Amino acid sequence: MNTERLKNLAEGLAIAHPEMVLGFDIQHDELSIHAARDHVLLVLTWLRDNPDYQFTQLLSICGADYPSAPERFTVAYHLLSMTQNLRVRVYVTTDEQGAVPSATGLFPAAGWYERETYDLFGVVFAGHTDLRRILTDYGFEGHPLRKDFPLTGHVELRYDPAQQRVVYEPVKLTQDFRKFDFISPWEGMTTVQLPGDEKATKPDAA
């Protein structure tokens, strides 16, 4: 039932506004609409104000990073219709330079979600009046959910008793933790010879 309604929704939107919809897909009774970045606000407005669907609640905005894609970042909007018991996902793609229009004028809750996406991925939202970091510390370098962000980060912090304050220092690793042997403990018991194992195969002295 819901799948048919969601299909009708997507087809109706694509036919009425072909310049706004680049494609759509329905899987597991969930609709995903690929919207043109410059027209995403029009798509969100249509979904919110259409009396047949009434997607009036913005549940979240989140990002994803696909470095090999032509536009590496995907920004997804999850909407809920309380009256129709329907959910829809609208997503756009962008890169480091392309700004996504801010949805704060349509959904006030978008303010914090867009700040989180900016903080963690570096996606810029044009028209956001207070686009600052919200999860990382002041002066944080880089965007931690990008796939090319180093696992160790760029700096580490500690409390210095002499200075009686928290200090930032470049990351210093005591070992090269990126060197893995990829052998589980169970495999290691049978494939790796431990010190003393040679006694089990050495013939007894006469």
Side-chain angles (χ1 to χ4, degrees), residues 48-80:
R48 185 193 66 178
D49 297 343
N50 190 301
D52 294 330
Y53 301 107
Q54 303 177 39
F55 288 96
T56 57
Q57 290 199 16
L58 175 67
L59 300 180
S60 69
I61 300 174
C62 60
D65 183 15
Y66 303 97
S68 60
E71 292 185 321
R72 64 182 292 184
F73 300 117
T74 296
V75 179
Y77 304 78
H78 298 90
L79 304 177
L80 170 67

Side-chain angles (χ1 to χ4, degrees), residues 66-145:
Y66 303 97
S68 60
E71 292 185 321
R72 64 182 292 184
F73 300 117
T74 296
V75 179
Y77 304 78
H78 298 90
L79 304 177
L80 170 67
S81 172
M82 292 288 290
T83 58
Q84 306 299 318
N85 191 27
L86 294 174
R87 296 172 185 264
V88 65
R89 179 186 303 108
V90 179
Y91 68 94
V92 300
T93 59
T94 187
D95 53 24
E96 290 91 338
Q97 288 77 37
V100 178
S102 175
T104 52
L106 299 175
F107 301 100
W112 280 30
Y113 296 141
E114 290 177 354
R115 285 180 61 183
E116 289 177 352
T117 306
Y118 165 73
D119 191 357
L120 300 178
F121 292 94
V123 175
V124 176
F125 292 89
H128 196 294
T129 59
D130 190 23
L131 195 61
R132 296 176 293 138
R133 292 185 180 271
I134 192 172
L135 296 176
T136 55
D137 201 1
Y138 299 103
F140 190 89
E141 181 181 350
H143 302 279
L145 286 190

